Every structure is written in structure tokens, then in C-alpha cells.
Amino acid sequence: QVQLVESGGGLVQAGGSLRLSCAASGRTDRRYVMGWFRQAPGKEREFVAAITWSGGNIKYADSVKGRFTISRDNARNTVYLEMNSLKPEDTAVYYCAGDRNGASIATTTLGEYDYWGQGTQVTVSS
């Protein structure tokens, strides 16, 4: 089993930046694809970004491309989401997820992920 814990969320003004972290523990010997999803009140959970173990394949949702950057530090079992030029529309609970079967491509489908963190709230004010 793998435990994922997100941190770094909070309140930020529009145009500002935040960096989210996701620390993994447990069966971290597997080369998981890691992803970030978000869920706003009353909306479905949606894909944000994903990265393979090597960092060789990265995918972003169109809504965040050019503003968000996903990265990982496998030595620290941590994945990051750097969020810049934040908009009120980015307000959501952000979830870290792991795909144990992922390999050479970054998974973008929610149903393919096996492990989830508890989420961290990001609120962007006007």
C-alpha cells in the first residue's frame, strides 16, 4: 500500500503562486506515475497534471498549461505542483494520485489511479 499526503494549499490572491507537495510512503519502490487532480464545489474531479517516474513524459490540462509545472523528486518520494498566475477558477481541493501500473506515459484518466491523498484546499481570491 501507498500513503499520499498533500500539503502547501492555502489562500492566495489572483495572480499569485503556490507550490503543492505530495509525500509518498509505503510501497514507494514501485515506479508510479503521479498525477494531480482537483475538484471544485459541485463539480467533478478533473485532471490537472501527471508525470512519469523518470519525468520523461508530462501532461497538463489545457486550462493550466503554461501556468502550472509538475515535477518529482524520487529520492524524497515527493511530487510537486508549482502553480503560477493563479485565477479564481483554480479554486478547488487538489488531490495527489498514484498509478501503480503506469509506465512510460503520464496517465490522464482518473479511473486509472490506484492511490489518493486526502486533498489540500487552494483558494484564489479576486
Side-chain angles (χ1 to χ4, degrees):
Q1 277 284 354
V2 171
Q3 177 75 35
L4 304 176
V5 179
E6 302 96 333
S7 62
L11 175 65
V12 65
Q13 290 184 275
S17 300
L18 282 174
R19 186 168 97 155
L20 306 183
S21 298
C22 174
S25 61
R27 286 289 303 271
T28 56
D29 57 315
R30 298 285 294 271
R31 296 188 174 185
Y32 297 88
V33 168
M34 300 298 297
W36 287 96
F37 291 76
R38 66 187 183 186
Q39 188 166 22
K43 295 186 177 181
E44 298 291 325
R45 193 170 300 186
E46 66 177 1
F47 169 76
V48 175
I51 184 170
T52 56
W53 187 89
S54 68
N57 189 240
I58 295 173
K59 289 188 173 65
Y60 296 99
D62 289 340
S63 59
V64 306
K65 195 169 187 177
R67 299 188 298 121
F68 291 11
T69 302
I70 188 171
S71 62
R72 64 193 296 167
D73 185 344
N74 292 326
R76 296 179 62 87
N77 295 315
T78 303
V79 62
Y80 305 96
L81 185 68
E82 189 79 38
M83 305 184 294
N84 300 308
S85 301
L86 283 162
K87 306 174 181 179
E89 306 94 275
D90 296 317
T91 295
V93 176
Y94 283 71
Y95 296 91
C96 177
D99 176 7
R100 64 188 292 272
N101 297 311
S104 61
I105 59 172
T107 310
T108 61
T109 303
L110 183 150
E112 294 298 316
Y113 283 85
D114 303 288
Y115 304 103
W116 294 86
Q118 83 289 348
T120 186
Q121 176 71 47
V122 172
T123 302
V124 184
S125 63
S126 301

